[in-house]
Amino acid sequence: MSALITTGFHHITLVATDAGRAAAFYRDLLGMRLLSEGVDAEDPSRYEAVFGDATGAPGTLVRVVEAPDADRGRYGTGGVHHFALGTATRETLLKWKRRLTDAGVPVSGPLPRGYFTSLYFTDPDRQVVEIATAGPGYTVDEPIDALGQGVMAQPASQLRGTRDDAAIAAETHPEPVPAITPDMVLTGLHHISGITDDIERASDFYEQALGLRLIKKTVNQDAPDTAHWFWANYDGTRVLEHSSWTLFGWTPRQPRARMGVGQSREIAFRAADEIALVSWRDHLRSLGLEVSAIADHGHHQAIRFTAPDGQPLAIATDVPGFMTLHDPHHPQDRQSHIAHSPTL
């Protein structure tokens, strides 16, 4: 059997206290489409909503599970620090900064991250969210056929303590942005960043388990003594969109993630269909991992497992997808449970 390689992210699952408030943020403020809503297949006592692009494409999906009684989560080893949504250019990034700040959402940036430029803010449940530009890309310091070969230093002007934070904070779009213009439409999951306590072990795991390849070894610009490595679906000629998974390397004595409100419940990677999912389950079990039974979520099927550092992971199928669903799962065809969202 040929090696299994995921094409990238399927979705990220978040835990929220109120799905309506989440909709006011992801749908109404960020312009993502409400694709599906209903009960969580793995916990029917929970309500879930899924947001994504206009076609419901894998790699653009943010799944929100409502858990008003859940404890407060926190990022740490074995959890997600933030996830990034994509925008086209630095100009559209500044439009997003103005739209968010005018809506009362505090924003940090635009911060030059070497491979892209970023804004940072939090959703209503304090999950850290980033919007990142498409470029300049991973080839600015290494050739496309040799990504991840060496440790890439970051310019001093981009490091905390030496960059001009006052100038960065002052920069924004000159005019209000009351509506999302076509050039601003978010392009899905640009990357997701987690935290691990053994980055070498993590690299071996993601290459063996998911077929992802190391494409960048650098440092965290906000904590330059911390390693920051990137993996993706990479064949030596290109880095596939919606596949960049990054990790900050913490020490084992630093805090572990706590699942709950404001902390991602899982990161799901892609499989084509149920036949492929069975192959993925067999493959993961051959590595000694405990893998769940296949769960049917209606718009996808999924298995769940855990990385060595404790990061919850899943593999989800591209089919049947969201555009093939009919009543009652398609909110455009009926009265939505969260149609009238509260304000942020």
Side-chain angles (χ1 to χ4, degrees), residues 186-310:
L186 297 171
T187 59
L189 295 170
H190 182 284
H191 66 272
I192 303 176
S193 294
I195 301 171
T196 190
D197 56 0
D198 189 331
I199 206 158
E200 296 277 1
R201 180 185 64 183
S203 189
D204 291 342
F205 172 77
Y206 286 105
E207 290 184 12
Q208 293 173 16
L210 295 174
L212 300 176
R213 291 180 60 186
L214 185 63
I215 61 167
K216 198 64 62 179
K217 292 193 285 188
T218 184
V219 298
N220 181 357
Q221 293 182 1
D222 298 320
D225 59 342
T226 299
H228 188 193
W229 290 15
F230 297 62
W231 297 263
N233 180 301
Y234 166 61
D235 65 1
T237 66
R238 56 92 186 105
V239 175
L240 201 62
E241 190 177 21
H242 311 309
S243 73
S244 293
W245 167 240
T246 95
L247 287 171
F248 300 118
W250 281 16
T251 65
R253 65 177 178 274
Q254 290 176 293
R256 299 198 61 80
R258 182 174 63 230
M259 296 299 109
V261 172
Q263 171 58 217
S264 167
R265 193 171 84 174
E266 68 185 16
I267 306 302
F269 292 87
R270 291 174 63 183
D273 52 29
E274 185 178 6
I275 293 174
L277 193 63
V278 171
S279 295
W280 275 106
R281 189 168 188 265
D282 291 343
H283 164 66
L284 294 169
R285 293 180 71 182
S286 76
L287 298 177
L289 298 171
E290 293 187 13
V291 186
S292 74
I294 294 175
D296 187 352
H297 291 261
H299 36 69
H300 71 269
Q301 295 175 298
I303 55 176
R304 301 177 74 183
F305 58 105
T306 304
D309 57 22

Side-chain angles (χ1 to χ4, degrees), residues 155-165 221:
S157 61
Q158 295 177 186
L159 302 179
R160 174 174 285 174
T162 58
R163 64 192 179 215
D164 191 342
D165 288 333
Q221 293 182 1

